[in-house]
Amino acid sequence: MSGDVQLLQIGSFTEEFNKRLTETYKVHRLWEQESPDDYLKEVGPEVDIVVTSGRYGCSADIMRAAPKLKAIVSFGVGYDPIDIDTARELNIAVSNTPDVLNDCVADLAMGLLISSARRIAEGDRFVRAGKWGSEPFPLGAKVSGKRLGILGLGRIGKCIAQRANGFGMEIHYHNRRQDPSVDYGYEETPADLATWADFLIVTCVGGPSTQGLVSREVMEALGPQGTLINVSRGSVVDQPAMVELLESGRLGSAALDVFADEPNVPSALLEMPQVVLVPHIASGTHETRKQMQDLVFDNLDSFIASGKLVTPVL
Ligand code: NAP
Ligand code: 8YV
């Protein structure tokens, strides 16, 4: 890529990440503009690369406003809010940050599962409220040796399975296709998986292809003793149905890192003791976020030097 490369940054990252970007490249900061549309008209023709994340995405309008745009470099592995069809049509390369976050997302998924089964968050609230000694605390459910269903046995799902093996859990999964590289039991449908499982962890991709994949039927199959853990995307779960089933006891419990309309969480969930809620933090450790950041820079440097991305999705 010749001449001074110009970047369009869609949203703010950490202060340190923003600074590293502006110290390394010429960066246009879209999120700081009063009128992003006017700003895009002004700087769009100069933009070579968009920097974004799985939170901010990149719309077709942004791509079309930047006729020189050659690459979209995204922070995060999930790229569902990037309009991939338009990127493909316009011959724009796209990268994400796979693998470096597998451990932390898997750790959090297991943490959510254990927190829910053993009532850790609930117990914490109980102690802080000064109830210990004056009220009984309810028993939890055993984790070790139970049945874990993984919906989306990909990079992260396989790391979760490794951890669950350490807990002596039996593991089954559902992907669109059976994976010949693993010995875990394959279930033909998400409902079959949920029927079999005590705990269902959702780790498939987000976006239109999996919208509502965890349907009312799937959650009913998981049942009153079952636990739904979601570290994928809120869009994968029929959230209104989930709230209703939790309220009526037809779904036992849930532990959620992701929601349909972040950062908004249905108020009914806030009142439910059998639900664990965290604010989309699965990759949120110093170590992993640094590796994700470095991979963004590796992709930028490589694309600028050679026209090739290190971790392309397109
Ligand atoms: P991956 O390696 O691509 O795995 C995705 C898995 O989903 C694959 O096994 C795929 O198998 C399966 N899948 C795709 N469509 C499906 C469908 N319609 N039905 C059933 N299974 C389907 O991706 P990854 O790196 O593990 O990441 C998975 C997702 O986790 C990301 O896309 C992102 O949304 C989410 N994530 C969330 C956080 C967080 O902070 N909470 C952090 C990182 C990632 P087949 O193709 O065979 O169906
Ligand atoms: C990030 C994620 O927090 O990688 C993903 O898909 O959801 C998380 O790791 C997010 O992408 C950054 O906004």
Side-chain angles (χ1 to χ4, degrees):
M1 192 171 274
S2 58
D4 271 350
V5 174
Q6 301 201 24
L7 268 51
L8 178 72
Q9 186 182 345
I10 307 289
S12 182
F13 301 119
T14 61
E15 207 173 307
E16 188 248 319
F17 192 173
N18 290 341
K19 189 161 166 264
R20 186 172 164 194
L21 276 169
T22 46
E23 283 175 357
T24 319
Y25 309 106
K26 179 165 176 46
V27 180
H28 302 288
R29 298 174 147 208
L30 188 63
W31 80 95
E32 286 182 342
Q33 310 308 318
E34 251 174 52
S35 168
D37 288 347
D38 290 345
Y39 187 70
L40 264 181
K41 276 188 200 128
E42 186 192 323
V43 307
E46 309 305 321
V47 171
D48 302 291
I49 301 176
V50 160
V51 183
T52 187
S53 73
R55 177 175 165 202
Y56 304 125
C58 187
S59 66
D61 286 350
I62 292 178
M63 295 182 211
R64 294 196 193 284
K68 283 204 306 182
L69 183 61
K70 287 281 170 292
I72 299 169
V73 172
S74 187
F75 176 78
V77 67
Y79 51 88
D80 40 299
I82 297 174
D83 189 328
I84 286 290
D85 290 342
T86 304
R88 193 176 284 117
E89 179 196 325
L90 299 177
N91 211 16
I92 299 167
V94 179
S95 68
N96 63 347
T97 59
D99 289 316
V100 293
L101 39 60
N102 293 352
D103 281 339
C104 280
V105 179
D107 292 350
L108 190 94
M110 289 306 289
L112 285 173
L113 186 157
I114 295 167
S115 178
S116 172
R118 301 303 312 275
R119 300 177 181 267
I120 295 175
E122 200 182 336
D124 179 82
R125 289 192 296 272
F126 181 86
V127 173
R128 286 172 199 273
K131 293 181 180 170
W132 195 10
S134 55
E135 279 181 35
F137 187 72
L139 297 177
K142 183 169 176 176
V143 170
S144 295
K146 288 280 181 66
R147 293 176 162 191
L148 173 63
I150 301 178
L151 181 56
L153 191 77
R155 290 171 291 235
I156 294 168
K158 284 176 183 162
C159 283
I160 293 172
Q162 284 173 357
R163 283 152 180 73
N165 268 325
F167 285 84
M169 297 179 94
E170 199 184 338
I171 296 158
H172 284 196
Y173 72 100
H174 171 75
N175 286 354
R176 287 167 299 182
R177 283 166 295 276
Q178 189 163 0
D179 182 341
S181 73
V182 298
D183 291 335
Y184 309 124
Y186 179 70
E187 299 288 345
E188 292 289 341
T189 69
D192 290 344
L193 183 65
T195 303
W196 172 85
D198 299 306
F199 300 95
L200 180 68
I201 301 190
V202 186
T203 46
C204 60
V205 299
S209 67
T210 55
Q211 177 88 33
L213 188 65
V214 180
S215 61
R216 177 182 293 275
E217 181 205 358
V218 170
M219 289 181 277
E220 279 177 341
L222 194 53
Q225 305 304 322
T227 303
L228 174 68
I229 298 109
N230 189 5
V231 292
S232 160
R233 289 287 183 260
S235 59
V236 181
V237 173
D238 179 342
Q239 187 168 279
M242 178 188 71
V243 171
E244 219 182 287
L245 293 170
L246 284 165
E247 262 170 343
S248 66
R250 279 176 292 158
L251 172 62
S253 49
L256 309 166
D257 182 47
V258 289
F259 302 86
D261 176 30
E262 296 172 5
N264 301 307
V265 176
S267 56
L269 291 180
L270 306 179
E271 307 302 323
M272 295 182 194
Q274 76 277 34
V275 175
V276 180
L277 305 166
V278 291
H280 201 147
I281 55 168
S283 69
T285 63
H286 293 294
E287 296 87 344
T288 287
R289 287 285 166 85
K290 173 72 168 66
Q291 283 186 281
M292 291 163 68
Q293 191 189 119
D294 287 347
L295 193 45
V296 165
F297 278 88
D298 290 348
N299 273 295
L300 285 168
D301 293 344
S302 168
F303 194 81
I304 290 164
S306 69
K308 286 197 168 53
L309 293 164
V310 181
T311 47
V313 295
L314 264 192

